[in-house]
Amino acid sequence: MNSDNEIRPGEVVVPWRATEDAGIAFIGRIETPWKTRADCPRQGQMDGPLCQIILDEIWREALTGISRYPQLEVIYWLHLSRRDLVLQCARQDKVPRGTFSLRSPLRPNPIGTSVVKLEAVQDCRLVVRGLDCIDGTPLLDIKPDRHAF
Amino acid sequence: MNSDNEIRPGEVVVPWRATEDAGIAFIGRIETPWKTRADCPRQGQMDGPLCQIILDEIWREALTGISRYPQLEVIYWLHLSRRDLVLQCARQDKVPRGTFSLRSPLRPNPIGTSVVKLEAVQDCRLVVRGLDCIDGTPLLDIKPDRHAF
């Protein structure tokens, strides 16, 4: 737990240790220009900087057909987040809000989702724009954006 | 593993057992009208039937402010899914496609996401439209839809 995870005035935690009802597997990693949480944009933009999604080799065949989709949904694990906050203060916000009424990375299951623009597919590497996560974030899933259907 | 998880002609699996790089916690459950995978709609619709999201009591305070958001993103665990398919045939589709170019429930990390219309908040229960998952699906997260920001 790093200093980003200190509790701010007005924030509330519950006495909860994350159970493990199921296990997730990191299937790759995400490379972005942002080295700390404070560097990350509040939300990704389709004209934001190029980022790379590097998928583990075993999943290569699962990318078949991906280049047909100009927009993808990317799901990742916000690995630096504490998981017990129920009320939290967003950056530059003095009013505590419920965790589920924020898209903050601090959540019981710290799963992030972004819709990205696919710029290129290079073997097991996708070049995309639209992410907002820290460099080195573990990858969980990639899907066509729901609006493709 | 149930019969929905049998491999169809043309489908390909990889020799992989899900690792547990991190643990997820079920924070509630989802009630829908669909009792089997075959019953589920291909994708949720905003004018679809009412469904209920029942959050565990410990997270009650984390719902503070949620009613401000007409649309929410709901994240859930597709608990009946096999996780080793790299090529798969969607329903009524003879051509195998890469797992990451489909929104099928069968994926290395079977995480589903839907955008739903919030109809009512009743204590720890959200009444919504727009889901497509099976009755009893474990809940992982709720966030405001990204378009709210």
Side-chain angles (χ1 to χ4, degrees), chain A residues 12 14-16 19-27 42-43 55 58-59 61-66 68-69 73 75 77 83 86-87 97-103 107-109 111-115 140-146 149, chain B residues 12 14-16 19-27 42-43 55 58-59 61-66 68-69 73 75 77 83 86-87 97-103 107-109 111-115 140-146 149:
Chain A
V12 173
V14 286
W16 181 73
T19 49
E20 301 211 355
D21 294 313
I24 52 169
F26 299 162
I27 62 168
R42 184 156 176 221
Q43 195 167 329
L55 191 69
I58 192 172
W59 301 110
E61 229 175 336
L63 289 175
T64 305
I66 196 104
R68 290 172 53 195
Y69 296 100
E73 183 176 358
I75 301 179
W77 186 249
R83 301 174 63 173
V86 287
L87 288 182
R97 298 178 195 277
T99 293
F100 301 131
S101 65
L102 291 168
R103 291 184 66 91
R107 0 193 21 93
N109 292 298
I111 294 171
T113 69
S114 286
V115 175
L140 299 183
D141 198 9
I142 305 167
K143 312 178 197 276
D145 180 33
R146 72 188 80 250
F149 298 103
Chain B
V12 173
V14 286
W16 180 73
T19 49
E20 300 212 354
D21 293 314
I24 52 171
F26 299 161
I27 61 168
R42 184 156 175 220
Q43 195 167 330
L55 191 69
I58 193 172
W59 301 111
E61 228 175 337
L63 288 176
T64 305
I66 197 102
R68 290 172 52 197
Y69 296 100
E73 183 176 358
I75 301 180
W77 186 249
R83 301 174 63 173
V86 288
L87 289 182
R97 299 178 194 276
T99 292
F100 301 131
S101 63
L102 291 168
R103 292 185 65 93
R107 1 195 18 96
N109 292 299
I111 294 170
T113 69
S114 287
V115 175
L140 300 183
D141 198 10
I142 304 167
K143 310 179 198 278
D145 181 33
R146 71 188 80 251
F149 298 103

Side-chain angles (χ1 to χ4, degrees), chain B:
Chain B
M1 199 159 295
N2 65 12
S3 63
D4 285 347
N5 278 323
E6 284 169 12
I7 298 176
R8 299 170 184 163
E11 293 190 331
V12 173
V13 299
V14 286
W16 180 73
R17 287 180 73 87
T19 49
E20 300 212 354
D21 293 314
I24 52 171
F26 299 161
I27 61 168
R29 67 179 195 284
I30 300 176
E31 291 181 356
T32 75
W34 307 295
K35 303 299 181 195
T36 69
R37 185 180 163 203
D39 293 340
C40 294
R42 184 156 175 220
Q43 195 167 330
Q45 301 291 335
M46 290 294 177
D47 58 356
L50 291 174
C51 298
Q52 306 215 22
I53 298 172
I54 297 122
L55 191 69
D56 292 348
E57 177 63 30
I58 193 172
W59 301 111
R60 174 193 296 266
E61 228 175 337
L63 288 176
T64 305
I66 197 102
S67 57
R68 290 172 52 197
Y69 296 100
Q71 292 195 5
L72 301 173
E73 183 176 358
V74 181
I75 301 180
Y76 40 91
W77 186 249
L78 301 156
H79 59 302
L80 300 177
S81 304
R82 67 180 298 156
R83 301 174 63 173
D84 56 356
L85 277 166
V86 288
L87 289 182
Q88 52 185 292
C89 299
R91 266 184 275 180
Q92 297 161 334
D93 188 355
K94 290 274 192 293
V95 184
R97 299 178 194 276
T99 292
F100 301 131
S101 63
L102 291 168
R103 292 185 65 93
S104 149
L106 313 180
R107 1 195 18 96
N109 292 299
I111 294 170
T113 69
S114 287
V115 175
V116 302
K117 184 175 171 204
L118 179 60
E119 297 280 3
V121 182
Q122 299 162 347
D123 197 37
C124 278
R125 190 177 287 257
L126 306 183
V127 183
V128 304
R129 295 184 197 270
L131 288 169
D132 59 6
C133 58
I134 205 165
D135 187 45
T137 295
L139 177 68
L140 300 183
D141 198 10
I142 304 167
K143 310 179 198 278
D145 181 33
R146 71 188 80 251
H147 299 107
F149 298 103

Side-chain angles (χ1 to χ4, degrees), chain A residues 78-90:
Chain A
L78 301 157
H79 58 301
L80 300 177
S81 303
R82 67 180 300 157
R83 301 174 63 173
D84 56 355
L85 277 165
V86 287
L87 288 182
Q88 52 185 293
C89 299

